Amino acid sequence: MSKPIFKRNSDHLPDDCRPGFDMLYVLGDKWTVPVLGALRRDGRARFSDIEKALSISQRMLTLTLKTLERDGLVRREVFASVPPRVEYELTERGRSLMNSLHELTGWGFANHEGVEESRRRFDAGSV
Amino acid sequence: MSKPIFKRNSDHLPDDCRPGFDMLYVLGDKWTVPVLGALRRDGRARFSDIEKALSISQRMLTLTLKTLERDGLVRREVFASVPPRVEYELTERGRSLMNSLHELTGWGFANHEGVEESRRRFDAGSV
DNA sequence: CTGAATCCGTTAAGATACTG
DNA sequence: CAGTATCTTAACGGATTCAG
């Protein structure tokens, strides 16, 4: 009965490359990567712990986690205790996704200096 | 004298991983990947050709190309002919960035079926 | 008390259209 | 083809309310 939380998707891409790039538009929002990163680092974490670690709003953390759970990247577990407790952890799929980012982040670390330089030059006096 | 076109960036990430993930927030907007993909496939292309190939609005294509030029991923060349002609092509940096996406797109093709299944299950009866 | 849901606000992405 | 000027929609944040 639910539906996608965020509207950004890969519908504007040609059919044959849509599945390959679909996840890029999930990762490309503001909080998906930080949340996945926190869960990978800490293993299992409570909602409130992630919230404080990232200084993310409660609302955005809820929406981001729900999207990740929907995609099967994060597993959610509720404990009917008092006070209530909700814990999250990466699924195997979530872990493999994070690993598949190594090549891209490697590019980032290797090229960010060149990109910054290019931006400075462009912003200074175009040409 | 110029400035970033799009406001999305990696400022919300911790300092030590910001350079690695910065480009993700460039690639994550709607038109960057399609434009880079078209240029990689066609080599060198005119503005109007890309426009028609992607059914992107003139405005968004201008903004996207300017951002890519600013980052040194695309080279812009103007021909003072009649009618005027402007051509674009990937730089070496742009090509290497596209190559660094292989791991992620590979993950996408390998996992999109599982993700879609997870989404269907979640949307059907949350639990 | 935690975390989800909801209302309301702001900002930016993106489309369309017109100008030069 | 670039610039500008709306317009619409969505992302995001803040605050409140509600349920367990």
Side-chain angles (χ1 to χ4, degrees):
Chain A
M1 302 309 263
S2 188
K3 272 299 170 186
I5 318 297
F6 299 112
K7 306 301 176 63
R8 304 170 95 262
N9 56 31
S10 54
D11 288 355
H12 59 297
L13 298 181
D15 294 15
D16 57 327
C17 54
R18 203 173 294 144
F21 287 94
D22 182 71
M23 196 50 58
L24 180 65
Y25 298 99
V26 175
L27 298 169
D29 76 351
K30 186 170 185 176
W31 292 113
T32 293
V33 162
V35 167
L36 289 175
L39 288 177
R40 178 161 73 159
R41 182 176 50 252
D42 301 341
R44 170 180 276 256
R46 304 188 50 160
F47 182 96
S48 50
D49 292 335
I50 310 174
E51 186 181 2
K52 279 176 287 189
L54 302 181
S55 37
I56 180 182
S57 70
Q58 198 186 64
R59 169 185 155 82
M60 289 312 295
L61 183 54
T62 301
L63 297 180
T64 302
L65 283 169
K66 188 180 298 188
T67 298
L68 292 176
E69 187 196 1
R70 188 174 103 103
D71 285 359
L73 302 169
V74 158
R75 181 166 27 250
R76 170 193 156 96
E77 197 165 357
V78 182
F79 298 90
S81 59
V82 182
R85 181 163 49 108
V86 183
E87 291 186 358
Y88 297 87
E89 64 180 352
L90 292 186
T91 61
E92 200 48 56
R93 184 184 297 157
R95 258 188 297 277
S96 75
L97 173 60
M98 287 309 276
N99 291 335
S100 78
L101 280 175
H102 276 147
E103 197 181 353
L104 181 60
T105 56
W107 188 97
F109 286 115
N111 292 88
H112 80 101
E113 191 52 59
V115 171
E116 286 298 331
E117 165 62 18
S118 178
R119 288 174 180 172
R120 280 192 295 271
R121 200 193 325 263
F122 188 90
D123 291 349
S126 284
V127 165
Chain B
M1 301 308 261
S2 189
K3 273 298 170 186
I5 318 295
F6 298 112
K7 306 300 176 62
R8 303 170 94 260
N9 56 31
S10 54
D11 287 355
H12 60 295
L13 298 182
D15 293 17
D16 58 325
C17 55
R18 204 173 294 145
F21 287 94
D22 182 72
M23 196 49 60
L24 181 64
Y25 298 99
V26 176
L27 296 170
D29 76 351
K30 186 170 183 176
W31 293 113
T32 292
V33 162
V35 167
L36 289 175
L39 287 177
R40 178 161 74 159
R41 182 176 48 252
D42 300 341
R44 171 179 275 257
R46 303 187 51 160
F47 183 95
S48 49
D49 291 336
I50 310 174
E51 186 182 1
K52 279 176 288 188
L54 302 181
S55 35
I56 180 182
S57 71
Q58 200 184 64
R59 170 185 156 85
M60 289 313 295
L61 182 55
T62 300
L63 297 181
T64 302
L65 283 169
K66 188 180 296 186
T67 298
L68 292 175
E69 186 194 2
R70 189 175 104 103
D71 285 359
L73 302 170
V74 157
R75 181 166 29 249
R76 172 192 154 97
E77 197 166 356
V78 182
F79 297 90
S81 59
V82 182
R85 181 163 49 109
V86 184
E87 292 187 357
Y88 297 86
E89 64 180 350
L90 291 187
T91 62
E92 200 47 57
R93 183 184 298 154
R95 257 187 297 278
S96 75
L97 173 60
M98 286 309 277
N99 290 336
S100 79
L101 281 175
H102 275 147
E103 197 180 351
L104 182 60
T105 55
W107 188 96
F109 286 115
N111 291 88
H112 80 102
E113 191 51 57
V115 172
E116 286 298 332
E117 165 61 18
S118 179
R119 288 175 180 170
R120 280 191 294 270
R121 200 192 325 264
F122 188 90
D123 292 349
S126 282
V127 163

